[in-house]
Amino acid sequence: MWRTRAAAACVICRSLANSNYGIRRKSPLQNLHLVSRSIHHPYYPSSKFQRPPLRISIQLFSSLNRLPLRKKKLLNVKYGYQFHRNFWLARLASRLLKLRYLILGSAVGGGYTAKKTYDQWKDMMPDLDEYKWIVPDFIWELDEHIDFEKLIKALPDADDLAKLLPDFDKIGESFTSLKGFFSPGSPGETAFRATDQGYDNDKQYKKVSDKEKIDQLQEELLRTQLKYQRMLERLEKENKELRKLVLQRDDKGIHQRKLKKSLIDMYSEVLDILSDYDASYNTQDHLPRVVVVGDQSAGKTSVLEMIAQARIFPRGSGEMMTRSPVKVTLSEGPHHVALFKDSSREFDLTKEEDLAALRNEIEIRMRNSVKEGCTVSTETISLSVKGPGLQRMVLVDLPGVISTVTSGMAPDTKETIFSISKAYMQNPNAIILCIQDGSVDAERSIVTDLVSQMDPQGKRTIFVLTKVDLAEKNVASPSRIQQIIEGKLFPMKALGYFAVVTGKGNSSESIESIKEYEEEFFQNSKLLKTCMLKAHQVTTKNLSLAVSDCFWKMVRESVEQQADAFKATRFNLETEWKNNYPRLRELDRNELFEKAKNEILDEVISLTQVTPKHWEEILQKTLWERVSTHVIENIYLPAAQTTNSGTFNTTVDIKLKQWTDKQLPNKAVEVAWETLQEEFSRFMTEQKGTEHDDIFDKLKQAVKEESIKRHKWNERAEDSLRVIQHNALEDRSISDKQQWDAAIHFMEETLQSRLKDTESVIEDMVGPDWKKRWLYWIGRTKEQNIRNETKNELEKLIKCNEEHAAYLANDEVTTVRKNLEARGITVDPCLIKDTWHQIYRRYFLKTALNHCNLCRRGFYYYQRHFVDSELECNDIVLFWRIQRMLAITANTLRQQLTNTEVRRLEKNVKEVLEDFAEDNEKKVKLLTGKRVQLAEDLKKVREIQEKLEAFIEALHQEE
């Protein structure tokens, strides 16, 4: 029996020695215990035996090899003389040692198999180093925000871990139950058979075809990528919520600190200034921005909305909606809002009514920017969109490229769109986002040829294929889509190629529903499953990340070079200013306008410093010049033809009443308004010595004209003035001799000026007299000779009858005509009457002047009402009444001017200046010249350079 068991033990030892558990050994017997060798192999010399060290591969992987081996005292057994009880101990030890080797061998073999499987899977996994940019930056910066040393210290120590380990003593006791484990028919034998069976299955698995392996690997890779994508989106969503909470706390003032302007907002301000800058000094704008170009209705707006995560643009079915460039600045913020550069109103993009209002406002701005007779505009609309999780970048949406001009468009629409697109794309640092409609034939695309012309090497172009869901359904050969995405179908080259889905064709769909539809489509798409498309080339999310990364890379590479260029431009401008205007300050257009505004307001205030006497003298003189003709011709002359003083006074009163009711108040107000204008113009245009700056002349003239145009005299002024004038003309009582003499002087001046005008008219009619003909050798014309002869005949008529009426009778006209015909002069009756009017007028004025001289001593008779006196001076009383009315009217108008109208004019001037201050086009038109343009360019260049330097500093701090 003992021999049988010993033989069985030897069989087991040989099987262990030959098993494939990764144990390295010199000979099978060296791995057996000393007692086992002494029992089973009696010819092995035990007295000279040295126990060799274990050379098994487990020593390379386990920490147990550091534990010292327990030294046991070996028994000196003499073969053939052992007692029976020693055999029982040997059998027990051999069984336990067998179990130890089995466990260690199984552990080593399993570890080796696990490592080999891990290496195979590792080789099968794709290299994700190229997609490191997909992971947000904060993942790589976690070690800066999380103290891992503190976490390590917080972990339990070795003693605490030992308490968690199982009790190995109890496990050792349970080994006794394995006494019959290796007996025939035991579970151990079954385990070995199972191992052999698994080996056979592995051989059968290797017979599977390579194609099925590739399919399984692709499916496994796709599942892994999708899983990684979902994990990334979950992390981004959590990060988005956390950042939103942080920004909201800052908005509420919890931290009690002022938030710094974001990096992208600083960059956007620089672009806004550059868009308004007139590059007169060959300083071009080469700062990066993302230029979105594509054919009309290719989906440019939809891609932009997916990146901005809001439906912000107006939409139309097949018609042109983008009529001008729209610059969209995307930045991160606590709330999803949008606002225009020139407006403080915020549109809440989470509310549908605000979204509708924003779309309407963009459409209105586009239509207002388009000039009459045009379809598109070059004016840029600047819009900022803030929201949690938005990628920071600046995009410019351009009008879609068209191939044919349709009805309703301007003839040059196609060329204008091409010129706008080229102007933006020719910037060597602009990133071109080329949008291609995947649902139409690629041969119909125009934009790809345009992009390839502007960027032939494709170093700054990103190609985007839209409507891939429709393309997959309609395209007969899916490989055609693969050719597009791989850049093999179009001649253009690009940095990257992306395929996106931006909707189902319904404009009312939300951004969230479109994103879900896009993800679902690509998960089930054959294009992705068959590896025609790669996972990093699909979805607008990946597109947004790639564009943002490329944008900031381009910014970091080019912004310092642009700052240096503007620094050089600034130096050139400052040198030119010092050479041309060394003693003048560098005042730009706005500063010059403020200076001119102050001067104009000072000049308006100067109107209040005009003395009342000056106002009244000007008003009285101007008013009499305006109404003197009417007084002489329509009032004085008709009244003077009467036969007695009663009739004279009655006629004068009637004529004056009619004149006051209908014409006089209105004429007086017109005179006052014109006088105010003349005084205002005098103060505005008079030069102030060496301090006068002619650069303001056009502006002052425009302000004066616009203010006068807006000014309206008080309508109730005429009614009050009418009553005052009527009362003044009804008064006939001259109180003293001084007023009487003043009236006579006023009448003489008026009559002498009229007489002088009349003699001038007569001289023009009859020609020069004999003195001028003899001295200046001037002759008379035939008509002048006829009028001279007619004048002589009419003078004879007046000499015959000094009290002749003002009008000729018909028989008198006939007599004069016949007398002239008798001398061979043919005249027309109308010529006779016309000449008579001037001859009689001169005669009447001379008679009236003589009467004035007679009335100088008539004040005494006036006081007695000309009783017992042949002298009548009613005409002196008439002119006194006129003179007094003029003085009272001038005084009334002066009070209204100084108390009301000057202040109203000052108010109008201020309003005009405020309107001009808000109208940049008006300021550019009115403040012109080399000096203004040079100062304006210098200001803009300085501002651009300072903002660029501040942006570069913030950019370096962020890095």
Side-chain angles (χ1 to χ4, degrees), residues 149-184:
E149 294 182 358
K150 292 183 178 180
L151 291 177
I152 293 172
K153 293 179 180 178
L155 292 175
D157 54 8
D159 296 335
D160 296 333
L161 289 175
K163 296 178 181 179
L164 300 176
L165 293 176
D167 191 352
F168 291 102
D169 295 335
K170 294 183 178 181
I171 294 176
E173 294 177 358
S174 62
F175 285 162
T176 56
S177 60
L178 299 176
K179 184 176 181 180
F181 181 78
F182 293 102
S183 60

Side-chain angles (χ1 to χ4, degrees), residues 423-453:
Y424 276 92
M425 288 191 293
Q426 69 184 2
N427 179 359
N429 295 322
I431 300 167
I432 304 173
L433 196 62
C434 180
I435 310 298
Q436 169 65 36
D437 189 351
S439 63
V440 299
D441 295 336
E443 290 77 11
R444 295 168 57 185
S445 175
I446 308 172
V447 70
T448 51
D449 294 336
L450 180 62
V451 172
S452 61
Q453 293 175 10

Side-chain angles (χ1 to χ4, degrees), residues 860-952:
Y860 172 74
Y861 299 104
Y862 168 74
Q863 289 179 329
R864 299 180 61 184
H865 302 288
F866 301 104
V867 178
D868 300 332
S869 174
E870 296 180 357
L871 183 64
E872 295 183 354
C873 298
N874 294 315
D875 49 357
I876 305 297
V877 177
L878 170 62
F879 276 90
W880 178 83
R881 294 166 70 182
I882 297 295
Q883 187 183 29
R884 185 168 181 272
M885 182 272 298
L886 292 175
I888 294 175
T889 302
N891 181 268
T892 304
L893 292 174
R894 189 267 307 169
Q895 293 180 9
Q896 190 170 0
L897 279 171
T898 56
N899 296 335
T900 306
E901 301 305 328
V902 171
R903 294 180 180 178
R904 292 179 60 203
L905 179 61
E906 182 180 358
K907 181 180 178 182
N908 290 337
V909 170
K910 289 180 179 179
E911 291 177 354
V912 171
L913 288 172
E914 289 176 358
D915 293 343
F916 283 7
E918 296 176 357
D919 191 349
N920 291 325
E921 293 182 0
K922 184 75 71 175
K923 287 191 288 187
V924 171
K925 182 179 179 181
L926 298 176
L927 293 173
T928 57
K930 180 181 178 181
R931 172 182 148 200
V932 181
Q933 191 61 46
L934 183 58
E936 192 72 15
D937 291 338
L938 187 54
K939 174 202 170 184
K940 289 250 178 108
V941 168
R942 281 176 177 165
E943 186 178 6
I944 292 170
Q945 184 200 351
E946 291 172 358
K947 289 188 177 294
L948 274 176
E949 289 178 351
F951 171 75
I952 292 171

Side-chain angles (χ1 to χ4, degrees), residues 35-61:
V35 178
S36 177
R37 287 200 299 268
S38 63
I39 295 172
H40 302 301
H41 308 283
Y43 299 101
Y44 194 90
S46 61
S47 60
K48 299 179 181 181
F49 177 75
Q50 296 288 334
R51 183 178 180 180
L54 294 177
R55 301 193 182 195
I56 55 175
S57 59
I58 192 66
Q59 292 176 341
L60 300 176
F61 302 102

Side-chain angles (χ1 to χ4, degrees), residues 609-665:
Q609 307 301 322
V610 178
T611 61
K613 181 180 179 181
H614 180 74
W615 278 119
E616 291 181 8
E617 287 178 355
I618 295 176
L619 289 169
Q620 188 171 349
K621 179 183 178 181
T622 308
L623 181 59
W624 176 240
E625 290 176 355
R626 189 68 59 86
V627 301
S628 59
T629 302
H630 179 84
V631 171
I632 299 297
E633 301 292 336
N634 298 327
I635 297 177
Y636 179 50
L637 284 177
Q641 304 301 319
T642 58
T643 56
N644 53 56
S645 61
T647 308
F648 179 88
N649 291 331
T650 302
T651 304
V652 167
D653 290 343
I654 293 173
K655 297 287 187 181
L656 289 176
K657 180 70 168 55
Q658 293 175 349
W659 183 45
T660 305
D661 290 340
K662 295 180 180 180
Q663 300 180 11
L664 183 57

